[in-house]
Amino acid sequence: GIKALLHEGKVALRGALACVDGLTATFADGAQAQFDAIWVATGYQYALPFLPTGCRMQKGLPRTTTQGESESHPGLYFVGIPCSHRVDSEFLRGIARDAVSVAEALARGGGR
């Protein structure tokens, strides 16, 4: 369904993300935008240079609750972080399970 959403203008693809501050995203080209929610897909090379300053890290990874929410930045959720929810959290099958947990937390108004 992503192609249809792109065609309808409901979703826009953006370039590299430089920084996230609350619901304001700053992109590598300097453009900024406000969002109701931000989903970031970092791809296969794990890197989080855009995390807010002070986001508590453990071994270079953000510390999260069992539902994937940042311990230091409520409303910031993660999937795909090694062992964040379970042993397979960094693999596709784990990401799929963890995404359900995050979606449920968001549906309950998590981070708001």
Side-chain angles (χ1 to χ4, degrees), residues 84-106:
S84 61
H85 298 241
R86 45 183 75 78
V87 173
D88 65 352
S89 286
E90 67 184 298
F91 302 106
L92 290 177
R93 67 181 174 272
I95 291 169
R97 285 189 220 126
D98 293 353
V100 171
S101 179
V102 168
E104 289 171 348
L106 292 170

Side-chain angles (χ1 to χ4, degrees), residues 2 5 20-22 24 30 40-42 54 60 65 72 79-80 84 87 90 95 98 102 106 109-110:
I2 189 72
L5 294 172
V20 175
D21 184 11
T24 300
V40 179
T42 61
T65 67
S72 60
V79 293
S84 61
V87 173
E90 67 184 298
I95 291 169
D98 293 353
V102 168
L106 292 170

Side-chain angles (χ1 to χ4, degrees), residues 14-89:
R14 302 297 297 256
L17 185 61
C19 178
V20 175
D21 184 11
L23 293 176
T24 300
T26 303
F27 298 90
D29 64 3
Q32 288 188 324
Q34 289 278 115
F35 295 92
D36 295 326
I38 298 174
W39 294 78
V40 179
T42 61
Y44 293 105
Q45 294 185 351
Y46 187 81
L48 299 169
F50 50 82
L51 280 179
T53 303
C55 195
R56 286 192 291 169
M57 305 290 275
Q58 178 179 341
K59 297 182 181 178
L61 303 173
R63 295 176 57 103
T64 62
T65 67
T66 57
Q67 289 197 313
E69 186 172 19
S70 168
E71 289 182 357
S72 60
H73 288 74
L76 178 61
Y77 289 82
F78 296 92
V79 293
I81 303 296
C83 297
S84 61
H85 298 241
R86 45 183 75 78
V87 173
D88 65 352
S89 286

